[in-house]
Amino acid sequence: MYQVYGMAASGNCYKVKLMLSLLGETFTWHECDPRQGATRTPAFLKLNPLGKVPVLVLPDGRPLPESNAILCYLAEGSRWWPSDRFARAQVLQWLFFEQYSHEPYVAVARAIQLFYPQRAAELPALIAKGEAALQVMEQHLGRHDYLVGETATIADLALYAYTHVAEEGGFSLRNYPALNRWLERITELPGFIPMQA
Ligand SMILES: N[C@@H](CCC(=O)N[C@@H](CS)C(=O)NCC(=O)O)C(=O)O
C-alpha cells in the first residue's frame, strides 16, 4: 500500500490524494504540518532532503517527493497520462507551467492569506502574476474542455489543485467563465474527492 506524507490544506498534497482516489488506490495518509516542524525531523529529511510535502512512499519503501513527479508515477499506464508522444509533452508543458507560472503566485498568495498575514505586502505582486496565469488558462479552456486532448489528464489535476481555491488567496474567479466550467467538470470525474474530504 502507498504511504503519503502530506498536509491536508496543501494543494500540492491534495493532487496526490485526488490522483490516488481517481485511480481507486488505497493509501495511508500521514499528516505532516511544516509549520509544526514535521518536515524538518531527521526521519522526514530521509524521505525528502528538501523538507517539503508531499512525499509518496512506494510499497517497497522508496520515497518520491515533488507533487507533479508523483502524478506522473501514479498515472503511468493509465488514461491520465497519454501514450501519444506529443500529448505527453503537452501534459508536461502544463505541469511545468503549474510549477513555474501558477503555483508560485496562486498558491503562495493563498498561503499568505491563510497562514502568514505578516507577509501581506507581497500580495499585490503575487496576485498580478497569478492573474496572468489564470488568463492563460481561461483562453485555452475557452477553446478546449480539458488542458490536453478530449479527456482529463494529470495536467488538469495538477492545475485544479490550487485554481479551485484561488479565491482564498484573494483572486476573483468571477471573470473566468471557461475556467469555472472546467472546475465543475473536474468535480464530476468518477472518484473525485474534495480537498478537505
Ligand atoms: N514543488 C513541490 C513544492 C512542495 C511544497 O512547497 N510544499 C510545501 C507545502 S505546499 C511545504 O512542504 N513547505 C514546507 C517548507 O517549505 O518548509 C511540489 O510540487 O511538491
Side-chain angles (χ1 to χ4, degrees):
M1 193 196 287
Y2 291 113
Q3 311 284 319
V4 182
Y5 291 78
M7 178 172 69
S10 152
N12 284 320
C13 300
Y14 170 57
K15 292 174 197 174
V16 179
K17 192 190 279 188
L18 178 58
M19 178 83 272
L20 286 163
S21 172
L22 292 166
L23 290 169
E25 294 277 0
T26 51
F27 61 95
T28 304
W29 181 269
H30 302 272
E31 183 69 16
C32 289
D33 190 339
R35 292 164 300 160
Q36 311 294 328
T39 56
R40 302 289 156 170
T41 64
F44 187 88
L45 291 171
K46 277 191 193 148
L47 300 176
N48 183 4
L50 208 51
K52 289 180 190 287
V53 282
V55 178
L56 177 77
V57 179
L58 308 189
D60 66 9
R62 283 178 295 171
L64 182 62
E66 288 297 331
S67 59
N68 289 353
I70 296 170
L71 290 182
C72 291
Y73 178 83
L74 289 172
E76 181 71 23
S78 79
R79 56 165 282 202
W80 302 98
W81 189 205
S83 52
D84 174 74
R85 183 180 179 182
F86 188 67
R88 284 172 85 96
Q90 287 179 310
V91 169
L92 289 172
Q93 175 197 333
W94 285 108
L95 296 184
F96 296 137
F97 164 85
E98 192 267 344
Q99 285 284 288
Y100 195 74
S101 303
H102 182 288
E103 192 262 14
Y105 311 118
V106 178
V108 173
R110 174 175 176 265
I112 290 173
Q113 300 269 15
L114 295 182
F115 308 125
Y116 308 107
Q118 67 277 19
R119 291 175 53 189
E122 297 172 41
L123 286 171
L126 293 172
I127 290 188
K129 289 185 171 168
E131 291 279 2
L134 295 173
Q135 279 164 19
V136 167
M137 293 177 70
E138 174 68 16
Q139 280 167 20
H140 187 81
L141 292 165
R143 290 177 276 117
H144 306 276
D145 283 352
Y146 298 100
L147 293 171
V148 179
E150 303 304 316
T151 59
T153 65
I154 53 174
D156 298 281
L157 307 186
L159 277 148
Y160 178 81
Y162 282 111
T163 305
H164 87 290
V165 287
E167 293 198 328
E168 294 177 5
F171 297 88
S172 169
L173 295 184
R174 209 176 315 136
N175 296 324
Y176 295 96
L179 194 64
N180 279 301
R181 286 194 297 275
W182 169 78
L183 290 174
E184 191 60 33
R185 231 170 269 133
I186 302 301
T187 67
E188 290 161 2
L189 294 168
F192 173 86
I193 45 161
M195 189 157 168
Q196 296 283 2

